[in-house]
Amino acid sequence: MVQVSYFDGADVPHDSRNDEFADPARATAAMSAFLALSPADRLADSRHVWAYYRDYYEMVGGQDWLDAEMGVPASAEDIWRHVHPQELYLAIGPEGDPASYVIVSCACDWEEEHGLALVWRDGKRLTKAGGYDGWPTNGGEFDPSGYSDVVYDSSSPEYLTRL
């Protein structure tokens, strides 16, 4: 278990079996940077998780059933009451990407099947939020697709968020 200040000191299991680092110093640096993040950093990241919730809500017609199931968050910051960190692990970026990533998989009250994956590049900055898909980036700076600054890759342009 790792006590994570970002999540108000919640104990989150660290699955080191998934840590994919050739360079242990990079892993240590990424984890140290991540553990230095605070609840204020989490609140600053709210818009990305809120966008995921709102996108899902509209896609499934949430007012018909989701409101009754989880209530209606009053603001972007309130969305965190519906996020439950389950596990964290470290990963390396796609080929050509020298970054290391801290990934926290979360259960979330609005999307039980895919949950919520939150990814911090080098443990410092949230660079991806959304349903778990197994990838640490939405593109990355070495990907010419133009997604290097996309944090939440929405099915609707209205909810796409960027760094």
Side-chain angles (χ1 to χ4, degrees):
M1 293 288 218
V2 177
Q3 192 172 40
V4 180
S5 295
Y6 186 91
F7 293 108
D8 293 326
D11 288 326
V12 181
H14 174 199
D15 186 352
S16 60
R17 294 173 300 144
N18 288 331
D19 294 354
E20 304 171 3
F21 281 93
D23 180 356
R26 283 177 43 200
T28 300
M31 184 64 89
S32 293
F34 173 70
L35 294 176
L37 296 175
S38 70
D41 295 304
R42 184 189 71 234
L43 292 177
D45 292 334
S46 297
R47 67 186 181 97
H48 305 294
V49 178
W50 179 253
Y52 177 40
Y53 162 73
R54 293 298 306 160
D55 189 29
Y56 182 83
Y57 183 92
E58 289 193 17
M59 186 171 48
V60 300
Q63 64 279 6
D64 294 336
W65 60 276
L66 193 55
D67 288 352
E69 192 169 298
M70 70 175 256
V72 180
S75 68
E77 292 79 16
D78 286 342
I79 199 63
W80 294 105
R81 290 184 301 122
H82 302 281
V83 173
H84 317 285
Q86 302 292 302
E87 176 181 74
L88 73 85
Y89 62 96
L90 302 166
I92 57 174
E95 187 175 334
D97 180 350
S100 49
Y101 295 88
V102 175
I103 301 172
V104 177
S105 60
C106 303
C108 61
D109 296 341
W110 66 91
E111 218 309 13
E112 292 178 8
E113 183 177 353
H114 298 105
L116 169 65
L118 299 169
V119 182
W120 291 264
R121 183 183 174 102
D122 293 325
K124 298 175 184 176
R125 184 172 193 177
L126 185 68
T127 55
K128 184 175 179 181
Y132 183 79
D133 65 7
W135 294 97
T137 69
N138 282 317
E141 68 183 76
F142 298 96
D143 182 346
S145 67
Y147 277 77
S148 63
D149 68 339
V150 172
V151 178
Y152 175 62
D153 186 12
S154 173
S155 59
S156 166
E158 175 181 1
Y159 295 112
L160 184 133
T161 66
R162 297 182 182 275
L163 294 175

